[in-house]
Amino acid sequence: AAGVIQSPRHLIKEKRETATLKCYPIPRHDTVYWYQQGPGQDPQFLISFYEKMQSDKGSIPDRFSAQQFSDYHSELNMSSLELGDSALYFCASSLRGADTQYFGPGTRLTVL
Amino acid sequence: DAKTTQPPSMDCAEGRAANLPCNHSTISGNEYVYWYRQIHSQGPQYIIHGLKNNETNEMASLIITEDRKSSTLILPHATLRDTAVYYCIVWFAGGTSYGKLTFGQGTILTVHP
């Protein structure tokens, strides 16, 4: 079965640079969630989208923004990167927002 | 969302059943119990979920007490590949909720030969 696709899988950036992470949900899924997992921590919710509209927001820094496109894929844009942004970023998708979330393999972002 | 409490770590011998407990004493009537696991740095993997009744799928069984204040995830024949962090999450799924998952501490399950 098709799974959630995330790209890139690994990304290395310098401080103050920008990064864009992409997420392609499972076909027919209309809801996308972004989570951040710092070293030794549990995943923390950042933001979610349902039918291209932001549906919920967690502890997402103002330097980060995200959107969902007409084909339901989503992009997380991160600017003015800081060392503390180094983490695993997971995307999950579900159908109608009230169904089981399925996670992608994640993007490992390293900020030097 | 209701808070969950899990033991920080558990051990299990390969081939034996692994029983992972979870307390969720403040769970509401419309909240589900979900279980995910995360194998080192991989994306969290959905295992099973339930509302009131016990559930079984190809991966595991979920036993929910009658008062719904606790549950147990059962991996019937644990293998070394089941070594992971197991998260019990109480989640409302319905209405206009586009509910985020709140990951707690989880249980580190180590399956040894």
Side-chain angles (χ1 to χ4, degrees):
Chain A
V4 176
I5 297 172
Q6 292 187 245
S7 68
R9 294 293 310 279
H10 302 272
L11 190 58
I12 299 175
K13 291 286 184 179
E14 300 279 343
K15 280 173 51 179
R16 293 178 289 278
E17 286 190 324
T18 62
T20 297
L21 280 55
K22 297 184 179 182
C23 169
Y24 298 87
I26 291 171
R28 297 195 313 278
H29 281 193
D30 52 15
T31 307
V32 169
Y33 308 79
W34 287 96
Y35 294 82
Q36 178 191 56
Q37 186 173 27
Q41 298 180 1
D42 303 307
Q44 298 294 317
F45 171 76
L46 291 177
I47 196 167
S48 62
F49 291 87
Y50 168 70
E51 282 288 349
K52 294 158 282 184
M53 298 289 290
Q54 181 182 308
S55 54
D56 200 357
K57 196 172 181 180
S59 304
I60 182 170
D62 292 340
R63 300 178 288 107
F64 293 8
S65 65
Q67 58 181 324
Q68 185 180 32
F69 295 86
S70 57
D71 64 351
Y72 297 115
H73 94 272
S74 177
E75 294 182 4
L76 177 65
N77 298 292
M78 311 159 70
S79 63
S80 302
L81 288 169
E82 302 174 356
L83 296 179
D85 297 328
S86 294
L88 280 164
Y89 290 84
F90 293 108
C91 171
S93 74
S94 71
L95 183 60
R96 290 189 298 275
D99 200 355
T100 300
Q101 294 181 35
Y102 295 90
F103 284 77
T107 293
R108 181 178 293 279
L109 172 67
T110 303
V111 182
L112 302 176
Chain B
D1 293 334
K3 180 178 172 59
T4 61
T5 304
Q6 300 177 249
S9 64
M10 293 183 65
D11 288 334
C12 178
E14 189 176 20
R16 304 296 295 267
N19 297 288
L20 290 84
C22 179
N23 287 321
H24 32 78
S25 58
T26 60
I27 191 170
S28 300
N30 55 6
E31 289 180 317
Y32 286 76
V33 179
Y34 270 77
W35 283 84
Y36 283 81
R37 73 180 181 184
Q38 187 175 28
I39 298 170
H40 183 62
S41 296
Q42 297 181 19
Q45 179 187 21
Y46 165 75
I47 302 174
I48 198 168
H49 74 281
L51 183 62
K52 297 180 183 179
N53 300 321
N54 299 336
E55 302 288 344
T56 295
N57 62 20
E58 66 278 4
M59 288 184 66
S61 294
L62 175 60
I63 308 298
I64 302 175
T65 58
E66 192 168 343
D67 63 7
R68 303 187 70 238
K69 293 185 177 181
S70 65
S71 61
T72 301
L73 176 74
I74 301 172
L75 306 179
H77 305 287
T79 71
L80 299 179
R81 286 177 293 183
D82 292 322
T83 293
V85 180
Y86 287 77
Y87 294 99
C88 168
I89 301 171
V90 170
W91 188 62
F92 171 69
T96 57
S97 170
Y98 306 107
K100 60 184 180 287
L101 293 172
T102 301
F103 288 83
Q105 174 185 299
T107 296
I108 300 172
L109 174 69
T110 302
V111 180
H112 51 86

